[in-house]
Amino acid sequence: MRNSSEKCPICKKNIVSDYTPFCSKRCADIDLSRWFSGDYRLSSEPRDEDEIEELENSLKERLDPNHNVG
């Protein structure tokens, strides 16, 4: 059970159990839009050029199985 003094991270109002950890659907949607727009990011280790190329080719193959790598 959450502490009733916990606040919504968006507007700082008291949270509502239906929208935990937010106070409303509006604040939950604001948070989600921030993830989609890239405002929030998870950091990772820098990748070298060969690994980036391998990942790009893998993605291209998944999106277009007829894609010729090279």
Side-chain angles (χ1 to χ4, degrees):
M1 174 128 192
R2 287 200 169 271
N3 183 341
S4 62
S5 66
E6 290 187 62
K7 304 292 183 188
C8 173
I10 303 300
C11 71
K12 307 304 182 216
K13 293 181 182 176
N14 290 331
I15 61 171
V16 174
S17 62
D18 287 349
Y19 300 105
T20 300
F22 307 101
C23 68
S24 65
K25 182 175 181 344
R26 177 183 175 275
C27 283
D29 288 345
I30 289 170
D31 184 75
L32 184 61
S33 73
R34 289 178 180 174
W35 280 104
F36 286 151
S37 68
D39 290 347
Y40 298 147
R41 294 178 186 85
L42 299 176
S43 63
S44 65
E45 294 293 320
R47 300 186 185 273
D48 65 22
E49 291 298 317
D50 291 334
E51 187 176 10
I52 292 171
E53 184 177 343
E54 183 180 321
L55 291 169
E56 287 174 343
N57 288 335
S58 176
L59 180 60
K60 287 175 186 176
E61 288 175 6
R62 287 182 183 201
L63 295 175
D64 181 7
N66 298 320
H67 175 75
N68 292 326
V69 177

